[in-house]
Amino acid sequence: MVYLEFEKSLEVLSNEIEKIKKVGSDSNVDVSKAVTELEQKLKDKRTEVYTNLTPWQRVQVSRHPERPYTISYINAITDNTWIELHGDRGVKDDKAMVGGFGRIDGRTVMFIGQQKGINTKMRQIRNFGMANPEGYRKALRLMKLAEKFNKPIVTFIDTPGAFPGLEAEERGQGEAIARNLFEMFQLKVPVICIVLGEGASGGALGIGIGDRVLMLENTWYSVISPESCSSILFRSWDFKEQAASSLKLTAEDMLANKLIDGIIKEPLGGAHNNQIGIHLTVKLEILKQLEVLDKIDSQHRIDERIKKFCSMGVVVE
Amino acid sequence: MSWFKRIKEGITTDTKDKKETPEGLWYKCSSCKHIMTTEDHEKNFWVCEKCGNHHRIGSHEYFDILFDGQEFTEINAGIKSGDPLNFADTKKYSDRLKDAYKKSPLNDAIRTAYGKVEGLDLMVACMDFNFIGGSMGSVVGEKISRSIDVCIEKKIPLMIISKSGGARMMEAAFSLMQMAKTSAKLSLLAQAKLPYISFLTDPPTGGVTASFAMLGDLNIAEPKALIGFAGPRVVKETIGKDLPEGFQTSEFLLEKGFLDLIVSRPELKQKIAELLLMFKN
């Protein structure tokens, strides 16, 4: 278990429990009462810590190394029926963006999302969840495939940004993202987008145009990461906490500003604390939303999708 | 051995007695240092007569260049930013806006107007780099969105002249969503089968490149404009190497297949009119 800096009190309690359990088993003393008491105390403490997370702390939770990533959700939600489909039919297969058909409660759904690596080697292969243009083009290809066969689309967003590399620029990172925005607005099938972790800027938005855009409780979504915002506007990396607050990037703020449609509650202590629990919650949410979206006529759905995004922004006249 | 010998050491003229040419008579090219009169520079569409360097200009100049008789109807000129997040970094966003209003007659980083180009109808949405780096916030998104509504209503083509540092950070996710908003409206313009010309001028970067600037039926750029998603400094930091010469310029993008044409400013109006006619007949 990896503990974040603001979870130190939880780590102390958790270690204490382990120690007592060990003493109990070594010396054959009944410690169950002490353990139960401490476990209750740990739960209370966790509730306390997680009730009032600051925006910066939520950013940290969204990046927790043990947080479940896109493929683990897809496999759980589709009961391992997901068949990954590869390649953009142009340049190559981008490992930072995955996609494919899977069955959820007896119906076929196209799942697409950024994928971060689960260990050092995989993080490199997945490019830390930063897709290249071919990733966005693969995502679009698969969306068009789903549309052709009238299957709904679910996208999972978890990226620190679109990759800002040399080849990415050569192959048109800007064009690839722009094309996705343009095309996603006219998709005839239901589209649900869920932010699972980090929702950084255009890289997130590139698969983020949907009839429903939802965020997990401990995620962030904004135009820039708090660190980069700090370095650009404050000319130093030290103001990331302040930047995180100023950017209003939490799910709660995004919903209050009507920039997303809903929040999916996480288990106590964050998604990584109860993976099975969060997988199920997300699955139920998808089914619930699909049931509503299925009933809407396709053109009406597109009109509403466009209307929703066009109402975003605050101006004075 | 010199011909003249200085009797007194140093420069002895008082500052008040110094003779200077009045400001603004001469223009020195920032690229080749060639000197010409501002009048000649302006006559040449603010392009250096020697090296062809395109000096950065704003909506005022582009409207003058494009519209017949310099006549046009500006729409939604009064829209201003609402500072939805009460944003503050080292300075309050509301104060930054006040400063920007003081510095120029602009109300935000874009102006939208329609008129005739060689007798053909055209809506032009032109960004101004002078206003907070041409950054895209709610106002830019809203004005583009409304100009497209007018295009569809009046059945006229659209040209967006982009020139921007990207999304306006001080409006955070609101500015991010302007990428979505403008793309949504462009998809409606496309369905109405009305042409959209994206004209990229130094520098469209970030969220602007990743939305409307790259979505033209025709993507046209001015020579040597910097065009990219990530800025050159970020790319350089990412790869840890120096960037190849000409990287992210108009010429580079044309070569890589992301532009239809590069058009220099003196021939802009004529070329746009020719193209509009192609769509028409």
Side-chain angles (χ1 to χ4, degrees):
Chain A
M1 187 83 189
V2 178
Y3 289 91
L4 300 166
E5 59 188 18
F6 62 88
E7 293 179 315
K8 282 292 169 230
S9 56
L10 305 180
E11 185 173 14
V12 171
L13 274 173
S14 177
N15 286 346
E16 220 170 293
I17 292 170
E18 289 307 309
K19 233 185 266 167
I20 291 176
K21 274 185 185 162
K22 192 162 182 298
V23 169
S25 67
D26 287 355
S27 55
N28 250 336
V29 182
D30 181 21
V31 290
S32 60
K33 194 161 169 256
V35 168
T36 321
E37 263 171 35
L38 275 173
E39 276 175 344
Q40 184 58 39
K41 208 172 157 192
L42 176 66
K43 200 180 160 201
D44 293 345
K45 192 81 200 161
R46 186 164 271 143
T47 312
E48 188 193 316
V49 168
Y50 270 81
T51 308
N52 291 306
L53 289 183
T54 65
W56 173 244
Q57 286 169 341
R58 285 206 199 274
V59 171
Q60 288 174 293
V61 179
S62 80
R63 297 170 180 164
H64 195 288
E66 284 157 2
R67 200 173 166 84
Y69 297 141
T70 295
I71 290 179
S72 84
Y73 280 93
I74 299 177
N75 281 335
I77 289 169
T78 61
D79 207 4
N80 290 312
T81 60
W82 184 57
I83 299 172
E84 188 179 356
L85 304 171
H86 298 270
D88 72 334
R89 299 289 192 270
V91 176
K92 63 175 173 192
D93 184 49
D94 191 336
K95 305 282 188 293
M97 182 79 81
V98 298
F101 284 126
R103 307 276 292 171
I104 168 168
D105 265 19
R107 70 184 291 188
T108 305
V109 171
M110 173 60 78
F111 289 92
I112 295 166
Q114 289 105 352
Q115 174 68 25
K116 291 180 174 175
I118 50 168
N119 53 40
T120 309
K121 192 181 163 203
M122 287 310 289
R123 274 189 271 279
Q124 275 189 338
I125 290 173
R126 299 290 184 190
N127 201 25
F128 305 89
M130 295 185 284
N132 273 286
E134 45 275 19
Y136 292 97
R137 292 185 180 123
K138 168 163 83 173
L140 183 59
R141 178 179 80 82
L142 296 177
M143 289 187 230
K144 291 278 187 186
L145 180 68
E147 183 186 38
K148 184 174 172 185
F149 296 98
N150 200 25
K151 306 297 177 209
I153 298 163
V154 173
T155 71
F156 288 135
I157 297 166
D158 189 8
T159 180
F163 189 59
L166 185 111
E167 285 91 2
E169 290 293 316
E170 282 184 341
R171 295 197 287 268
Q173 188 70 284
E175 196 275 344
I177 292 171
R179 185 65 48 202
N180 281 19
L181 305 182
F182 183 89
E183 297 287 346
M184 285 184 84
F185 274 110
Q186 295 291 339
L187 288 171
K188 294 186 181 72
V189 293
V191 185
I192 299 170
C193 310
I194 302 175
V195 182
L196 296 179
E198 299 190 86
S201 199
L205 192 65
I207 55 165
I209 307 296
D211 302 303
R212 295 287 183 275
V213 180
L214 310 168
M215 285 173 76
L216 296 199
E217 193 182 355
N218 297 309
T219 61
W220 68 274
Y221 194 2
S222 195
V223 73
I224 192 166
S225 72
E227 290 94 330
S228 304
C229 179
S230 163
S231 102
I232 295 172
L233 290 182
F234 297 88
R235 307 255 150 78
S236 146
W237 291 92
D238 303 332
F239 295 88
K240 49 188 190 285
E241 290 170 43
Q242 198 182 330
S245 301
S246 295
L247 286 168
K248 302 278 192 293
L249 43 62
T250 64
E252 224 174 4
D253 286 326
M254 288 292 282
L255 186 64
N257 285 326
K258 296 196 178 102
L259 298 172
I260 57 163
D261 302 299
I263 299 173
I264 299 175
K265 215 163 158 37
E266 289 185 25
L268 179 61
H272 57 282
N273 240 306
N274 180 358
Q275 303 218 2
I276 296 169
I278 192 65
H279 288 154
L280 184 65
T281 311
V282 170
K283 177 179 176 173
L284 294 176
E285 186 68 31
I286 291 170
L287 288 170
K288 188 179 102 187
Q289 297 293 353
L290 280 181
E291 204 187 318
V292 180
L293 293 171
D294 278 340
K295 294 195 185 103
I296 308 171
D297 163 70
S298 138
Q299 187 55 49
H300 186 61
R301 226 171 17 226
I302 293 173
D303 293 344
E304 289 295 312
R305 196 184 297 155
I306 292 176
K307 209 167 103 191
K308 179 178 73 185
F309 279 92
C310 284
S311 70
M312 294 175 184
V314 176
V315 297
V316 286
E317 295 191 53
Chain B
M1 160 117 189
S2 49
W3 285 18
F4 300 103
K5 195 164 159 56
R6 190 186 282 275
I7 303 168
K8 282 190 208 160
E9 282 298 315
I11 297 161
T12 54
T13 321
D14 277 349
T15 313
K16 66 177 166 60
D17 297 329
K18 228 168 64 180
K19 291 195 176 74
E20 269 184 359
T21 48
E23 280 292 325
L25 267 186
W26 296 93
Y27 172 79
K28 187 175 173 187
C29 174
S30 59
S31 171
C32 74
K33 313 289 179 222
H34 177 69
I35 292 173
M36 64 197 110
T37 65
T38 38
E39 206 186 331
D40 285 346
H41 188 231
E42 195 179 322
K43 263 188 209 153
N44 203 34
F45 305 91
W46 299 271
V47 175
C48 173
E49 57 193 9
K50 193 171 168 215
C51 73
N53 179 46
H54 283 53
H55 180 74
R56 195 176 283 159
I57 55 174
S59 58
H60 179 79
E61 290 82 5
Y62 279 111
F63 287 168
D64 277 359
I65 291 171
L66 284 165
F67 290 122
D68 295 349
Q70 299 174 346
E71 279 174 27
F72 54 86
T73 310
E74 185 169 355
I75 55 170
N76 303 307
I79 299 182
K80 289 184 176 185
S81 174
D83 189 11
L85 302 175
N86 252 319
F87 194 92
D89 44 85
T90 51
K91 202 172 170 183
K92 277 161 117 185
Y93 176 40
S94 53
D95 290 341
R96 278 183 200 276
L97 285 168
K98 275 181 209 148
D99 286 353
Y101 298 139
K102 258 185 237 162
K103 264 195 248 166
S104 78
L106 300 164
N107 281 337
D108 212 288
I110 197 164
R111 284 170 70 215
T112 49
Y114 62 90
K116 303 258 185 203
V117 177
E118 301 287 353
L120 301 161
D121 287 316
L122 184 66
M123 170 74 74
V124 181
C126 182
M127 301 191 78
D128 278 293
F129 197 79
N130 278 343
F131 196 95
I132 318 188
S135 54
M136 169 167 65
S138 300
V139 178
V140 170
E142 183 66 18
K143 284 176 87 165
I144 289 180
S145 162
R146 290 195 198 180
S147 70
I148 294 173
D149 290 341
V150 175
C151 284
I152 294 171
E153 187 199 315
K154 291 183 181 294
K155 296 196 169 56
I156 55 178
L158 170 73
M159 174 175 180
I160 301 180
I161 304 178
S162 50
K163 183 185 286 288
S164 169
R168 190 173 296 168
M169 244 176 285
M170 292 77 95
E171 291 188 30
F174 281 100
S175 52
L176 177 68
M177 295 308 166
Q178 303 313 306
M179 293 167 63
K181 182 170 174 170
T182 50
S183 305
K185 279 290 165 81
L186 284 174
S187 80
L188 295 178
L189 188 78
Q191 292 206 322
K193 303 263 182 256
L194 291 164
Y196 163 40
I197 296 174
S198 170
F199 189 56
L200 300 94
T201 69
D202 189 65
T205 48
V208 166
T209 307
S211 59
F212 57 84
M214 274 293 154
L215 289 174
D217 291 310
L218 300 177
N219 293 336
I220 304 175
E222 272 186 357
K224 295 199 180 118
L226 170 76
I227 305 167
F229 173 67
R233 194 176 50 86
V234 178
V235 179
K236 196 178 153 182
E237 276 169 18
T238 307
I239 61 170
K241 273 189 280 192
D242 282 336
L243 301 171
E245 203 173 318
F247 181 65
Q248 292 184 318
T249 58
S250 308
E251 293 71 16
F252 175 87
L253 265 85
L254 183 74
E255 197 55 37
K256 295 292 171 190
F258 293 98
L259 296 177
D260 290 280
L261 292 169
I262 292 175
V263 176
S264 74
R265 223 178 272 154
E267 49 176 346
L268 177 65
K269 180 173 179 165
Q270 191 54 41
K271 191 63 93 188
I272 294 296
E274 280 171 30
L275 289 167
L276 286 176
L277 206 61
M278 298 282 181
F279 283 109
K280 229 178 158 161
N281 293 313

